[in-house]
């Protein structure tokens, strides 16, 4: 009996090694991408585990091995059923995703087929249909000023970026690849939006127009109107190439300062001879800053006028053209403090005020600023008809240019 058990044990080891080799071979084929071999591997394991105890187990242990065989076969069959259910779920998800994509594509084709044809409005027809006064009231500038602005943008950005109406018409019929692309756009969406219409839409939004009315007027999408607005401001307008307001360059140009001084001298009959600019502060209204936006003290932006704002310091000439500006102070700061904290004051005026005094140049400002050798302020508590009162009259008459500049910017 002992010898028989030893023979059975040796045969059992050989059968187990052969079964393990075949099982791993089928698993290797399944992991390499043959999904059809995976159930076969499980089935082979079931057969080996079920049949092996019949031949390699000693007769004394036959009954216990039969019970183990039933448990192993049941576990294998359960795993095989789970694998089949998982493959069915994956297949169902793939089919549902494909049907969903087909339905969305069908809906898009149907919407494109029912989309009404859109014809872009011609800018030159629109421009010629408006009188000069109506155009200026609508866009806050004359037709000549608008065309000059377009020319400056084309000069800085290029006609291929601005895409004027003349440029689009020329490219449409030149017969190249660009012509085919533009023809396809014209047949589907009505064509490209020319740069003049983009600029006019932006100016009208800045003047207080509604994006809904402008989208109907210029045949653009209602949601696309603000996209045009931000692109024009960020890419075309707010560039130093278009309007370079640099106080340092102005301060180092003696000829430019002499021209501005001549303007103020003529307006005051020679009383203010040497004035090279009028300075004042302007509170620009903004939304209330929040702490989560990185502002440590939002209350410092609350101005004396009862709203949140930014203190903007500007120097203008007699023609109300801005020569220098500083947009770095909070609304609660005093004008004098905001001016002293500016880089122009610290780096240019304080080190070089003697040069200005030698040339006879100075700025003028209201009583909010401190009196300096380069900054003249009006007299306080003067008598009517006195020399100081006469000085204050010419001083305020010249300084009103900066107030008018702020008012025109707000009206625009």
């Amino acid at each position: 009996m002992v010898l028989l058990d030893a023979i059975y044990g040796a045969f059992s080891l050989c059968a187990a090694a052969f079964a393990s080799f075949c099982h791993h071979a089928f698993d290797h084929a399944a992991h390499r991408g043959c999904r059809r071999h995976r159930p076969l591997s499980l089935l082979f394991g079931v057969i080996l585990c079920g049949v092996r105890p019949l031949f390699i187990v000693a007769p004394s242990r036959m009954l216990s091995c039969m019970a183990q065989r039933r448990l192993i076969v049941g576990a294998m069959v359960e795993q095989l059923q789970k694998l089949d259910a998982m493959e069915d779920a994956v297949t169902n998800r793939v089919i549902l995703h494909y049907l969903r994509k087909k339905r969305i594509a069908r809906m898009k084709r149907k919407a494109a087929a029912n989309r009404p044809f859109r014809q872009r409005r011609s800018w030159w027809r629109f421009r010629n249909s408006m009188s000069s006064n109506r155009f200026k009231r609508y866009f806050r500038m004359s037709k000549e000023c608008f065309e000059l602005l377009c020319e400056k943008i084309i000069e800085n950005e290029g006609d291929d970026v601005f895409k004027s109406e003349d440029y689009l018409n020329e490219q449409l019929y030149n017969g190249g690849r660009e012509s085919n692309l533009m023809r396809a756009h014209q047949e589907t969406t009505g064509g490209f939006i020319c740069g003049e219409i983009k600029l006019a839409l932006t100016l009208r939004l800045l003047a207080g127009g509604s994006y809904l009315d402008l989208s109907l007027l210029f045949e653009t999408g209602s949601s696309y109107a603000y996209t045009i607005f931000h692109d024009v401001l960020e890419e075309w307008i707010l560039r130093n190439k278009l309007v370079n307001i640099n106080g340092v360059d102005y301060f180092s140009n003696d000829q430019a300062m002499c021209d501005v001084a001549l303007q103020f001298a003529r307006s005051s009959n020679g009383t203010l001879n040497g004035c090279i600019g009028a300075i004042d502060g302007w509170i620009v209204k903004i939304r209330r800053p929040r702490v989560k936006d990185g502002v440590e003290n939002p209350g410092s932006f609350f101005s004396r006028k009862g709203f949140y704002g930014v203190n903007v310091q500007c120097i203008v000439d007699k023609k109300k053209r801005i020569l220098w500006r500083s947009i770095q102070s909070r609304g609660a700061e005093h004008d004098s403090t905001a001016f002293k904290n500016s880089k122009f004051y610290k780096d240019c005026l304080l080190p070089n005020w003697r040069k200005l005094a030698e040339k006879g140049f100075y700025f003028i400002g209201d009583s909010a600023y401190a009196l300096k050798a380069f900054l003249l302020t009006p007299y306080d508590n003067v008598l009517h008809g006195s020399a100081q009162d006469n000085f204050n009259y010419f001083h305020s008459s010249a300084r009103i240019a900066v107030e008018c500049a702020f008012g025109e910017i707000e009206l625009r």
Side-chain angles (χ1 to χ4, degrees), residues 138-260:
Y138 203 78
F139 297 109
R140 301 298 192 269
M141 63 176 59
S142 62
K143 293 181 180 181
E144 294 76 15
C145 185
F146 183 88
E147 293 172 3
L148 179 61
L149 181 58
C150 293
E151 292 176 1
K152 285 186 173 292
I153 295 175
I154 292 174
E155 182 182 353
N156 295 330
E157 305 295 336
D159 208 356
D160 56 337
V161 176
F162 183 74
K163 289 185 173 61
S164 62
E165 190 171 76
D166 295 337
Y167 173 82
L168 293 178
N169 293 333
E170 181 182 353
Q171 294 295 323
L172 183 61
Y173 301 106
N174 63 359
R177 178 179 178 273
E178 189 73 16
S179 176
N180 297 332
L181 179 63
M182 294 180 62
R183 192 173 291 109
H185 272 278
Q186 191 172 16
E187 293 176 355
T188 54
T189 62
F192 287 102
I193 303 175
C194 67
E196 291 90 349
I197 288 182
K198 290 182 178 180
L199 184 59
L201 187 145
T202 302
L203 293 176
R204 185 56 192 165
L205 282 176
L206 289 174
S210 172
Y211 74 98
L212 296 175
D213 298 336
L214 293 174
S215 61
L216 293 176
L217 179 63
F218 294 118
E219 294 292 339
T220 62
S222 58
S223 60
Y224 192 59
Y226 273 108
T227 303
I228 295 174
F229 174 77
H230 290 291
D231 290 343
V232 170
L233 287 182
E234 295 173 3
E235 301 297 332
W236 297 352
I237 304 299
L238 300 179
R239 292 286 186 91
N240 290 331
K241 294 181 180 179
L242 184 63
V243 180
N244 187 13
I245 303 176
N246 193 333
V248 178
D249 293 342
Y250 170 72
F251 186 77
S252 59
N253 191 342
D254 292 343
Q255 184 61 40
M257 290 190 291
C258 289
D259 295 339
V260 175

